[in-house]
Amino acid sequence: MPGPTQALIDELHLKYAGLREGSAATYIPELAKASTEHFGIVVAGVDGSLIAAGDTEVLFSLQSTSKPLTYGLVLEDFGREFVLSKVGVEPTGEAFNSIVELEKHTHRPYNPMINSGAIAVSSLIRGASAEARLQRVLGLFEGYAGRPLAYDKKIFESEKNTAHRNRSIAHLLRHFSVIGDDIDDSLDLYFQQCSILANTRDLALIAATLAGGGINPRTGKRAVQEKYVGDILSLMFTCGMYDSSGEWAYSVGIPAKSGVSGAIFGVVPGKLGIAVFSPPIDEKGHSLRGMAVFKELSQRLNLSIFRHL
Ligand code: GLU
């Protein structure tokens, strides 16, 4: 596999900066304020090397790119069997916020990458109080990114005050006893994790940590047990891009997760973490520049996990 070079990343940045489709997410009012010009690409090696182009220091909220990480945390807290009894591992082919998200007989959410599954995961996070649970989540993200991250209160409030759909999903989860009575606390923690601020470099290091089996390549510290990295990556691969996951597996071929703030991160196991941030998204919630960069990068560097056999 040829390695990524600064010249290649600069070339892709220049090429796709000209892509002018899509617009920033508006259903969370605070996200609508994002600049459609912002565009950053960072490729991080498992050896700690970094190649960056564009607005890589601009902060954005992680939104759904946070979901694979909290899933890993509850796997560590409770083990596979228990977590599987609460949240399934099947792709839905439905949108991220679909309310037709519970399996017919078990009433589990289909998977932890869609909102119903992620809210169920947040409800499981251990801690003596809401504040203790939040601190655990922030500590988790610090482990992956290699520096402390904070959540944005304005984005949190903005989502909380308008989250009628996620609230209805949470009540459905309560109805089927997937979550307990602490519906508001579970939702708050979910909105807080979604509003954690990071930049493209942080997100690439999060990706590289997963690529390296759970160890942050810069700090050398473990963020998640190695035995759960495969669980996280397989779910990112089958469900991380929502109802574009099949198309993504076919054309890009690496586990990835997108967020409606315009972030996408992808993991080339054993080799690279890749992050792209640019707010204009398509109707499925994926950054248009992000998808274009991933597609071309995958083809030029032969990154698909099925192509280096
Ligand atoms: N906080 C967002 C929501 O629950 C995340 C969606 C996304 O990034 O896909 O609607």
Side-chain angles (χ1 to χ4, degrees):
M1 173 176 105
T5 60
Q6 184 70 52
L8 173 61
I9 302 306
D10 285 343
E11 180 193 328
L12 295 184
H13 187 270
L14 188 69
K15 178 169 175 186
Y16 292 113
L19 190 71
R20 303 243 154 248
E21 288 150 38
S23 49
T26 51
Y27 76 100
I28 300 175
E30 232 6 71
L31 294 187
K33 297 180 183 166
S35 162
T36 53
E37 298 300 314
H38 282 155
F39 181 24
I41 309 175
V42 178
V43 179
V46 291
D47 59 358
S49 59
L50 290 175
I51 302 175
D55 305 308
T56 55
E57 301 295 322
V58 170
L59 292 171
F60 52 85
S61 55
L62 287 170
Q63 297 303 329
S64 287
T65 58
S66 65
K67 291 172 179 170
L69 277 49
T70 48
Y71 183 59
L73 184 65
V74 300
L75 283 172
E76 288 189 325
D77 277 359
F78 296 95
R80 276 187 197 114
E81 203 181 325
F82 179 78
V83 176
L84 266 176
S85 75
K86 294 284 180 187
V87 184
V89 291
E90 290 301 331
T92 61
E94 299 275 346
F96 66 96
N97 58 4
S98 166
I99 35 184
V100 200
E101 283 186 318
L102 305 185
E103 287 179 353
K104 272 207 185 74
H105 301 295
T106 64
H107 305 301
R108 293 177 307 180
Y110 277 92
N111 67 69
M113 300 296 134
I114 49 174
N115 289 3
S116 59
I119 294 167
V121 163
S122 298
S123 81
L124 291 175
I125 292 169
R126 279 202 169 121
S129 61
E131 181 56 29
R133 282 190 285 275
L134 171 63
Q135 289 309 323
R136 281 199 74 210
V137 169
L138 293 174
L140 172 78
F141 283 74
E142 175 173 353
Y144 275 95
R147 71 175 187 102
L149 301 178
Y151 78 97
D152 184 308
K153 295 208 171 52
K154 265 197 188 159
I155 296 177
F156 163 68
E157 295 286 344
S158 178
E159 177 161 16
K160 181 178 162 129
N161 295 336
T162 53
H164 307 298
R165 203 173 172 112
N166 280 333
R167 216 165 278 288
S168 75
I169 290 172
H171 280 272
L172 205 58
L173 291 171
R174 173 65 194 90
H175 174 77
F176 288 114
S177 302
V178 177
I179 67 174
D181 285 330
D182 47 356
I183 302 174
D184 288 327
D185 279 357
S186 300
L187 279 170
D188 277 359
L189 188 56
Y190 170 70
F191 301 144
Q192 281 161 334
Q193 84 181 50
C194 287
S195 54
I196 290 175
L197 294 177
N199 60 34
T200 316
R201 185 176 177 279
D202 297 321
L203 194 57
L205 285 169
I206 289 172
T209 299
L210 286 168
I215 294 180
N216 178 295
R218 292 251 154 160
T219 63
K221 290 193 190 144
R222 181 164 287 288
V224 59
Q225 289 173 43
E226 186 163 11
K227 66 174 177 182
Y228 295 124
V229 171
D231 303 51
I232 297 170
L233 293 182
S234 64
L235 282 159
M236 285 169 63
F237 193 73
T238 53
C239 314
M241 298 299 285
Y242 304 129
D243 39 342
S244 318
S245 295
E247 212 306 276
W248 184 270
Y250 186 80
S251 61
V252 180
I254 64 170
K257 187 74 203 82
S258 72
V260 290
S261 50
I264 305 180
F265 77 95
V267 177
V268 185
K271 297 192 171 76
L272 300 173
I274 304 167
V276 184
F277 161 65
S278 194
I281 55 174
D282 69 0
E283 70 290 347
K284 293 182 175 175
H286 311 307
S287 166
L288 283 149
R289 292 190 183 110
M291 287 193 297
V293 169
F294 267 96
K295 269 187 196 160
E296 184 159 347
L297 206 54
S298 174
Q299 278 157 16
R300 304 246 317 243
L301 299 180
N302 229 8
L303 297 181
S304 165
I305 56 176
F306 301 110
R307 296 203 198 281
H308 32 87
L309 301 174

Coordinates of all heavy atoms in Angstrom, one line a residue, residues 27-28 62-65 67 96-97 115 159 166 190-191 194 242 257-261 285, ligand 1:
Y27 N -31.3 21.3 11.9 CA -32.3 20.8 12.9 C -31.8 21.0 14.3 O -32.6 21.0 15.2 CB -32.7 19.4 12.6 CG -31.7 18.3 13.0 CD1 -31.9 17.6 14.2 CD2 -30.6 18.1 12.2 CE1 -30.9 16.7 14.5 CE2 -29.7 17.1 12.5 CZ -29.9 16.4 13.7 OH -28.9 15.5 14.1
I28 N -30.5 21.2 14.5 CA -30.0 21.7 15.8 C -29.6 23.1 15.5 O -28.6 23.3 14.8 CB -28.8 20.8 16.2 CG1 -29.2 19.3 16.4 CG2 -28.2 21.4 17.5 CD1 -28.0 18.4 16.8
L62 N -18.7 16.8 18.1 CA -18.4 15.5 17.5 C -19.7 14.9 17.0 O -19.7 14.1 16.1 CB -17.8 14.6 18.5 CG -16.3 14.9 18.8 CD1 -15.9 14.0 20.1 CD2 -15.5 14.5 17.6
Q63 N -20.9 15.3 17.5 CA -22.2 14.6 17.2 C -22.0 13.1 17.1 O -21.4 12.5 18.0 CB -22.7 15.2 15.9 CG -23.0 16.7 16.0 CD -24.0 17.1 17.1 OE1 -24.9 16.3 17.4 NE2 -23.9 18.2 17.7
S64 N -22.5 12.5 16.1 CA -22.5 11.0 16.1 C -21.1 10.3 15.9 O -21.0 9.1 16.1 CB -23.4 10.5 15.0 OG -24.7 10.7 15.4
T65 N -20.1 11.1 15.7 CA -18.8 10.5 15.7 C -18.4 10.0 17.1 O -17.4 9.3 17.3 CB -17.6 11.4 15.1 OG1 -17.6 12.6 15.9 CG2 -17.9 11.7 13.6
K67 N -20.4 8.2 18.9 CA -21.1 7.0 19.3 C -20.2 5.7 19.4 O -20.4 4.9 20.3 CB -22.2 6.7 18.3 CG -23.4 7.7 18.4 CD -24.4 7.5 17.3 CE -25.5 8.5 17.4 NZ -26.4 8.5 16.1
F96 N -30.5 8.1 10.6 CA -29.9 8.1 11.9 C -30.9 8.3 13.0 O -30.8 7.8 14.1 CB -28.8 9.2 12.0 CG -29.3 10.6 11.9 CD1 -29.6 11.3 13.1 CD2 -29.5 11.2 10.7 CE1 -30.0 12.6 13.0 CE2 -29.9 12.5 10.6 CZ -30.2 13.2 11.7
N97 N -32.0 9.1 12.7 CA -32.9 9.4 13.7 C -34.3 8.7 13.5 O -35.3 9.1 14.1 CB -33.2 10.9 13.7 CG -33.7 11.4 12.4 OD1 -33.9 10.6 11.5 ND2 -33.8 12.7 12.2
N115 N -29.4 6.6 16.6 CA -29.7 7.4 17.8 C -30.3 6.5 18.9 O -29.9 6.6 20.1 CB -30.7 8.5 17.5 CG -30.0 9.6 16.8 OD1 -28.8 9.5 16.4 ND2 -30.6 10.7 16.5
E159 N -29.5 21.6 21.2 CA -30.1 20.2 20.9 C -31.1 19.8 21.9 O -32.2 19.3 21.5 CB -28.9 19.2 20.8 CG -29.5 17.8 20.5 CD -28.5 16.8 19.9 OE1 -27.3 17.0 20.0 OE2 -29.0 15.8 19.4
N166 N -35.6 12.7 19.3 CA -34.8 11.9 20.2 C -35.5 11.6 21.5 O -35.4 10.6 22.1 CB -33.4 12.5 20.5 CG -32.5 12.3 19.3 OD1 -32.6 11.3 18.6 ND2 -31.6 13.2 19.1
Y190 N -26.4 11.9 26.5 CA -26.2 11.7 25.0 C -26.0 13.0 24.3 O -25.1 13.1 23.5 CB -27.5 11.0 24.5 CG -27.5 10.9 23.0 CD1 -26.7 10.1 22.2 CD2 -28.4 11.7 22.3 CE1 -26.7 10.1 20.8 CE2 -28.5 11.7 20.9 CZ -27.6 10.9 20.2 OH -27.6 10.9 18.8
F191 N -26.7 14.1 24.7 CA -26.5 15.4 24.0 C -25.2 16.0 24.4 O -24.6 16.6 23.6 CB -27.7 16.4 24.4 CG -29.0 15.9 24.0 CD1 -30.1 16.2 24.9 CD2 -29.3 15.2 22.9 CE1 -31.4 15.8 24.6 CE2 -30.6 14.8 22.5 CZ -31.6 15.1 23.4
C194 N -22.5 14.3 22.3 CA -22.6 14.8 20.9 C -22.1 16.2 20.8 O -21.6 16.6 19.7 CB -24.1 14.8 20.5 SG -24.7 13.2 20.1
Y242 N -24.9 5.0 8.5 CA -26.4 4.9 8.4 C -26.8 4.3 7.1 O -26.3 3.2 6.7 CB -27.0 6.3 8.5 CG -26.6 7.1 9.7 CD1 -26.1 8.4 9.7 CD2 -26.7 6.5 11.0 CE1 -25.8 9.1 10.8 CE2 -26.4 7.2 12.1 CZ -25.9 8.5 12.0 OH -25.5 9.2 13.1
K257 N -17.3 6.6 10.7 CA -18.5 7.1 11.4 C -18.6 8.6 11.0 O -17.6 9.3 11.0 CB -18.3 7.0 12.9 CG -19.6 7.4 13.7 CD -20.7 6.3 13.5 CE -22.1 6.9 13.8 NZ -22.6 7.6 12.6
S258 N -19.8 9.0 10.7 CA -20.0 10.4 10.4 C -20.8 11.1 11.5 O -21.5 10.4 12.3 CB -20.7 10.5 9.1 OG -22.1 10.1 9.2
G259 N -20.8 12.4 11.5 CA -21.6 13.2 12.4 C -22.2 14.4 11.6 O -21.6 14.9 10.7
V260 N -23.4 14.8 12.1 CA -24.1 15.9 11.3 C -23.4 17.3 11.4 O -23.8 18.2 10.6 CB -25.6 16.0 11.7 CG1 -26.4 14.9 11.2 CG2 -25.7 16.3 13.2
S261 N -22.4 17.4 12.2 CA -21.6 18.6 12.2 C -20.7 18.7 11.0 O -20.1 19.7 10.8 CB -20.8 18.7 13.5 OG -20.1 17.5 13.7
G285 N -27.0 13.2 6.0 CA -26.2 13.7 7.2 C -24.7 13.5 7.1 O -24.0 13.6 8.1
Ligands
GLU1 N1 -26.9 14.7 18.1 C1 -27.4 14.3 16.8 C2 -28.7 13.7 16.9 O1 -29.0 13.0 17.8 C3 -26.4 13.4 16.2 C4 -26.8 13.0 14.8 C5 -25.6 12.7 13.9 O2 -24.6 13.2 14.0 O3 -25.8 11.8 13.0 O4 -29.6 14.0 16.2

